[in-house]
Amino acid sequence: MHFELKRKLRIYVSLFLSLLLLSAVAPRQQSAQQELGLVDKQNRARLHQALIDLTNPFTVLCVAAHPDDEDGSTLTVLRRKYGVHTVSLFSTYGEGGQNAVGPELYEELGVIRARETMAAAEVQGSEPHFLGLRDFGFSKTAEETFRAWGEKEALRRMVFQIRRLRPDAIITNHDTTTGHGHHQATGRLILQAFDAAADPKQFPEQLNQVGVWQAQRLFVRAPRREAQATAQVTQKQFTIDPNEADPFRETTYAQQALAALQKHATQGPWPKTVAAGGARIIRYNLVREATGVAALPDNAKTPIDGLRLPESISSAFHIPTIDNKPLTEFVDKKDEVLISLVNARKHGAFTASRDVMDLDPPRFQLMSSRLDAALAVAADVGITAETDEPVFVPGAPAKISAVLGNGGEVDVQIKRVDITAFGSEHRVATADKMLPETETTALYETTTPKTASLSVPSDAHLYDGQLFGQPVVARAELAVGDATFVITSQIQRDVAPPVQILSVDPPVYVSTPASSQKPLEFKVRLINRMAGEFKGLLRVLGSSLETGREIVLGAHSSDVFSLSVRQALPITRRIQSGSELGITVDLPNPKSPIDKRKVKLIYADALVAPELVVGYLPSFDQTLSRSLAALNVNAKELKVSDVASGDLSKFSTIVLDIRSYEAHPELLPVNDRLLKFVENGGTLLVFYHKTDEWNPDDRRQRPQLAPYPLTLSDDRVTQEDAPVWFLQPRHPLLNSPNRITQADFANWVQERGLYFPKEWDSHYAALLSTNDKGEPPLHGGLLVAPYGKGNYIYTSLVWYRQLRAGIPGGYRFFANMISYGNRKTEASRANDQ
Ligand SMILES: [Zn+2]
């Protein structure tokens, strides 16, 4: 029993205190001995981290445009090896990118990427912050980026964060002239902000909240070719070799950095292992320094090498030692370390007279809190904030607890416990002491204020400061011997209505001539957050329309309800774009809405050939199935096994979603079946792929995937209103069943297309041309070739984004592509006219 309790507590403490990289996840079926061994290793690593942290009073900031642009290798080495306080700052949440693992895009993707970034930062041992600038998709220049961000606003935010985070050195991967426009813009901003943060005339209104701050050095990562040819280096540099082994974690820093990178799963796939020859050596060029700063030494290993604090401050930072040896040499003698730390606290390490502390209060706070953390690790005590429910519901009771654990071998006094929630701090009753190997809980019972602002759905709160909801902080003041220290735990909890609409499918309702006479069908997912059964109404409200149904939803449960609108439909050709329906969940009596979602209604005048049978292979989301349903097409979702061995002859058209060969690698070996389908008279429509997912590659055993050679480039057209020219205006694909005009390219979202083909065989007809302003025209956005008795279409235009957003032109063009080559298409047009 005693052993079991100790084991449980050690695991508990290691889970809740963990600041360390947990590189090896414990398999469930481990023996107790192995488990203890793992826990011991984690405890050693954690203690070493806490002790090395005490030796380093400097902060390094890594500035990045998007999640995954941070230099995880350098951040990991700086924290794990040197104990630098590492923070990262991201211009955007990366919501304009693609999603390699799920259906979410835009703000929903931003929410996921924020979480991924936080998970990566935990592995790196750094602390992420965001400027919350909008990621509007790929851009080619800083100017275009600043038009969207506002240069001054972006600078204001970056200056504020530098003044708040107070980095001694700043590093960035981004220069001012290469790569993504967001990267260039971020590279420019940081150059400006380096000086502006120190200038009291810049953004003086911020000085009520933060002081001016002069970072000492600014570094930009050296380009790869320069890093390889060190002879050419003229600038001062520091060099990081991430291939060194971390003696406390049994991995190299490069492996830890890769583990962090893999947390950015929506941007994968990532390599599974560090390359055989090791990760690249990383070099940074010194591009700015403050006046009077110590020179960066030759052969510098970190951005802070040679930096010195003012004498009065550094002399106050007495780093504890044992027999004049650093504490990091004593990680296996925890008891001695604890005594040394207790003495350090008693003798006022990292404190000084008021006038000295006033020179740089946050640095004293940082080091003092690092001493707190070291005391907690050495004493093996921890705290975790918990709530009884996963979300707060306004007006409902909320129980918040601080769970304290003592996994060590000495008594720990509890001087006070405070819980901060909804903006105010409350002292809570608690035991006054924890014996070794015990835990205790301090409970705070309250009611979520009725005025607490909702933070769900998260994607609606990406930019308003409510992302992930209310912070809850549990804080305990403890004492070991006569040394007092503070431990804290912060969590965030969403604020949600008692019954919440989690999703509405479809999120945008597109109607076409073939589907406009059908009832509107919605599937609504609800969750009941309350402890009692919910009886109420699910309603649809819109212009001249009101219908609904009664629903019953059990306590703490979630379910999907279908909702069908059978009465006279408001969707006709007269529906203007911008019409919308409200879907609400209501209390029955009196009817009062608890939660509401809006659904846009869109009419697309898109005709399809009759008797089409379409098979489609989706990649990451449901856009294809929803779009085909809106067109009222007889459609069947395919699996790769259907392609491999099913009867494809029943389909008139098969559609491969974006990045199909990436999403379904098993498709590669059965691609011949698809070409055979075309040869036998079918139409195969292939949406865009990335260059390295498509171009022939012997190493990956990827042949030419199209029936005739077709090679992709990295060219993009990022302006969603870039002009589109018809190269073959009479081509049937542009005329049947729908006559495509310029109007069909109006109101597009995000971009025109990406990874445009650069070379293609003469069998292909190129139908459209488009380009960003000032760039040469790209002709490969839509290629069509006859093959055997059928037709092959490859298109790099971003139809999936237009279909998903309900852009009518997207539906009309998609209808033409799936109808193409169907013998009845021409007849259908004749009948219609
Ligand atoms: Zn980026």
Side-chain angles (χ1 to χ4, degrees):
M1 180 61 205
H2 179 79
F3 173 79
E4 276 303 309
L5 177 64
K6 178 162 180 160
R7 185 160 74 96
K8 194 176 138 221
L9 276 166
R10 282 190 185 278
I11 292 167
Y12 152 75
V13 167
S14 78
L15 284 175
F16 290 118
L17 286 183
S18 181
L19 292 168
L20 89 164
L21 162 67
L22 184 55
S23 59
V25 175
R28 290 223 177 107
Q29 300 295 326
Q30 264 181 333
S31 74
Q33 201 182 359
Q34 280 174 319
E35 218 167 278
L36 267 182
L38 177 66
V39 170
D40 284 348
K41 272 182 216 155
Q42 291 169 9
N43 284 340
R44 276 181 97 233
R46 196 166 59 241
L47 182 60
H48 178 265
Q49 184 72 66
L51 298 176
I52 193 99
D53 286 353
L54 291 179
T55 68
N56 201 319
F58 293 107
T59 297
V60 172
L61 168 66
C62 177
V63 176
H66 309 109
D68 99 343
D69 290 331
E70 77 275 23
D71 178 358
S73 297
T74 298
L75 287 169
T76 300
V77 171
L78 291 178
R79 178 76 199 283
R80 300 301 181 205
K81 185 175 177 191
Y82 298 104
V84 174
H85 178 232
T86 47
V87 290
S88 51
L89 181 60
F90 296 83
S91 300
T92 74
Y93 292 101
E95 67 273 23
Q98 298 136 42
N99 187 344
V101 292
E104 301 83 1
L105 290 176
Y106 310 112
E107 283 79 8
E108 289 182 3
L109 178 59
V111 172
I112 295 172
R113 289 196 170 175
R115 287 195 198 281
E116 290 175 346
T117 304
M118 286 150 60
E122 195 170 328
V123 178
Q124 296 152 356
S126 67
E127 184 189 291
H129 300 270
F130 295 90
L131 295 184
L133 298 165
R134 198 172 285 269
D135 180 355
F136 54 91
F138 196 91
S139 100
K140 291 177 180 173
T141 64
E143 284 72 21
E144 184 189 351
T145 302
F146 283 138
R147 274 199 295 279
W149 288 357
E151 187 167 0
K152 182 138 194 222
E153 172 60 18
L155 181 63
R156 185 185 70 74
R157 294 186 194 191
M158 193 173 282
V159 165
F160 183 78
Q161 291 297 337
I162 290 174
R163 287 172 172 174
R164 194 166 76 89
L165 299 170
R166 302 162 73 92
D168 300 289
I170 301 174
I171 62 172
T172 182
N173 272 332
H174 306 313
D175 62 38
T176 57
T177 54
T178 58
H180 197 312
H182 299 172
H183 295 189
Q184 299 177 36
T186 301
R188 285 201 207 176
L189 284 172
I190 192 63
L191 279 175
Q192 295 177 53
F194 183 82
D195 295 329
D199 180 353
K201 291 198 217 57
Q202 296 268 9
F203 310 105
E205 73 286 355
Q206 294 178 355
L207 301 179
N208 296 327
Q209 287 174 271
V210 288
V212 291
W213 183 250
Q214 177 64 67
Q216 301 295 296
R217 295 173 179 154
L218 172 61
F219 296 86
V220 176
R221 187 158 173 176
R224 237 183 268 183
R225 57 181 178 281
E226 187 183 335
Q228 281 156 2
T230 47
Q232 298 168 6
V233 171
T234 52
Q235 277 161 299
K236 287 221 159 199
Q237 293 190 325
F238 76 90
T239 306
I240 293 270
D241 180 357
N243 297 300
E244 201 179 320
D246 176 343
F248 295 92
R249 296 175 184 84
E250 295 181 352
T251 54
T252 65
Y253 300 114
Q255 286 168 324
Q256 296 171 29
L258 177 60
L261 194 59
Q262 286 163 344
K263 298 288 181 192
H264 294 289
T266 56
Q267 309 199 55
W270 299 107
K272 296 203 167 45
T273 55
V274 174
R280 272 199 309 279
I281 306 295
I282 299 164
R283 292 188 168 82
Y284 276 88
N285 293 327
L286 179 65
V287 298
R288 288 277 166 92
E289 54 189 335
T291 47
V293 66
L296 183 71
D298 292 339
N299 305 317
K301 296 264 187 285
T302 80
I304 54 167
D305 281 13
L307 283 190
R308 282 188 299 271
L309 296 175
E311 177 57 32
S312 55
I313 294 177
S314 66
S315 63
F317 286 180
H318 303 290
I319 299 167
T321 55
I322 296 175
D323 299 337
N324 288 321
K325 288 186 210 148
L327 292 186
T328 47
E329 291 182 15
F330 297 85
V331 284
D332 294 315
K333 294 181 178 166
K334 215 176 191 177
D335 305 349
E336 290 180 34
V337 168
L338 180 59
I339 292 166
S340 169
L341 294 172
V342 165
N343 285 330
R345 170 54 43 94
K346 271 197 326 208
H347 296 129
F350 308 114
T351 60
S353 62
R354 184 46 51 202
D355 53 328
V356 172
M357 303 231 314
D358 281 348
L359 295 173
D360 195 347
R363 201 182 302 271
F364 278 93
Q365 267 159 32
L366 171 69
M367 295 314 289
S368 179
S369 70
R370 286 183 147 193
L371 182 54
D372 285 331
L375 277 158
V377 177
D380 214 346
V381 294
I383 187 170
T384 180
E386 290 178 0
T387 55
D388 64 329
E389 299 286 346
V391 298
F392 292 127
V393 174
K399 288 183 190 165
I400 304 170
S401 42
V403 183
L404 292 153
N406 179 4
E409 281 150 16
V410 297
D411 292 2
V412 176
Q413 287 168 264
I414 306 173
K415 300 190 124 181
R416 64 181 290 161
V417 174
D418 299 283
I419 287 176
T420 304
F422 312 115
S424 59
E425 191 180 56
H426 307 269
R427 184 166 181 173
V428 285
T430 169
D432 58 0
K433 189 159 135 180
M434 273 191 294
L435 298 175
E437 294 163 16
T438 59
E439 63 174 50
T440 183
T441 299
L443 180 66
Y444 170 53
E445 292 188 80
T446 183
T447 300
T448 302
K450 286 193 170 135
T451 52
S453 22
L454 298 184
S455 66
V456 294
S458 300
D459 56 290
H461 298 278
L462 191 57
Y463 311 112
D464 67 1
Q466 310 275 359
L467 184 61
F468 304 138
Q470 286 280 338
V472 172
V473 180
R475 176 185 185 279
E477 204 175 298
L478 307 175
V480 169
D482 29 3
T484 301
F485 60 100
V486 170
I487 55 177
T488 59
S489 164
Q490 174 163 344
I491 55 173
Q492 270 187 291
R493 289 289 179 264
D494 271 320
V495 182
V499 179
Q500 185 192 342
I501 299 176
L502 291 178
S503 63
V504 174
D505 181 12
V508 173
Y509 202 98
V510 178
S511 181
T512 66
S515 61
S516 63
Q517 299 311 308
K518 294 173 60 179
L520 282 72
E521 304 276 359
F522 293 101
K523 293 217 176 335
V524 183
R525 178 171 282 281
L526 299 177
I527 185 167
N528 179 6
R529 306 285 191 187
M530 297 185 300
E533 184 180 74
F534 173 77
K535 284 185 181 168
L537 298 171
L538 185 60
R539 291 196 296 156
V540 179
L541 301 162
S543 50
S544 75
L545 177 80
E546 181 176 340
T547 186
R549 57 171 287 192
E550 290 177 4
I551 54 164
V552 178
L553 187 55
H556 290 299
S557 61
S558 171
D559 208 348
V560 176
F561 296 88
S562 55
L563 197 53
S564 183
V565 184
R566 292 180 190 283
Q567 66 192 81
L569 298 174
I571 295 189
T572 69
R573 286 168 201 236
R574 283 167 291 143
I575 285 279
Q576 306 295 309
S577 65
S579 299
E580 57 188 24
L581 292 176
I583 293 188
T584 68
V585 56
D586 296 28
L587 287 171
N589 210 355
K591 281 185 201 168
S592 67
I594 300 171
D595 199 12
K596 182 171 183 173
R597 285 285 182 101
K598 287 176 177 171
V599 176
K600 249 198 245 171
L601 288 178
I602 286 159
Y603 183 79
D605 190 8
L607 301 169
V608 288
E611 294 169 47
L612 274 186
V613 184
V614 176
Y616 63 97
L617 184 67
S619 291
F620 309 113
D621 74 359
Q622 295 168 274
T623 298
L624 284 178
S625 74
R626 286 174 181 155
S627 305
L628 291 162
L631 292 166
N632 203 26
V633 166
N634 180 4
K636 180 178 184 292
E637 181 173 326
L638 299 177
K639 297 193 169 56
V640 177
S641 58
D642 299 322
V643 175
S645 55
D647 173 17
L648 300 183
S649 70
K650 62 188 174 203
F651 298 110
S652 35
T653 299
I654 291 177
V655 186
L656 299 187
D657 204 346
I658 60 165
R659 307 176 65 193
S660 277
Y661 294 95
E662 164 63 30
H664 311 284
E666 358 40 291
L667 193 57
L668 281 173
V670 299
N671 190 49
D672 280 352
R673 294 260 307 160
L674 290 169
L675 298 185
K676 198 80 190 162
F677 162 77
V678 180
E679 206 177 331
N680 290 338
T683 295
L684 182 63
L685 169 60
V686 182
F687 279 3
Y688 96 89
H689 283 72
K690 293 187 175 187
T691 318
D692 62 1
E693 297 162 353
W694 175 272
N695 287 344
D697 186 336
D698 289 343
R699 270 182 316 143
R700 300 182 203 197
Q701 297 174 327
R702 187 169 55 227
Q704 174 59 247
L705 296 168
Y708 309 110
L710 191 169
T711 311
L712 304 184
S713 73
D714 291 336
D715 291 338
R716 298 165 176 253
V717 177
T718 64
Q719 290 155 4
E720 62 273 15
D721 56 355
V724 178
W725 312 97
F726 296 177
L727 299 173
Q728 298 197 26
R730 291 167 180 277
H731 194 283
L733 188 44
L734 300 180
N735 290 283
S736 172
N738 305 289
R739 186 151 296 130
I740 301 300
T741 71
Q742 285 297 330
D744 293 309
F745 292 94
N747 303 316
W748 275 37
V749 297
Q750 185 98 351
E751 58 203 348
R752 286 292 189 210
L754 61 183
Y755 303 99
F756 278 65
K758 60 178 173 190
E759 286 163 13
W760 52 90
D761 185 89
S762 60
H763 285 89
Y764 294 100
L767 302 190
L768 300 173
S769 169
T770 181
N771 56 277
D772 278 331
K773 211 172 275 175
E775 297 194 355
L778 299 174
H779 290 174
L782 178 64
L783 299 174
V784 51
Y787 178 67
K789 292 186 225 158
N791 293 280
Y792 186 91
I793 305 173
Y794 186 90
T795 179
S796 300
L797 300 187
V798 284
W799 302 109
Y800 79 107
R801 287 195 188 269
Q802 315 316 318
L803 293 171
R804 188 172 160 128
I807 305 303
Y811 280 80
R812 285 162 47 79
F813 216 118
F814 181 56
N816 279 17
M817 292 191 287
I818 58 174
S819 300
Y820 186 69
N822 188 298
R823 266 171 277 119
K824 290 174 179 142
T825 301
E826 299 307 314
S828 127
R829 190 79 210 166
N831 290 345
D832 184 64
Q833 285 173 345

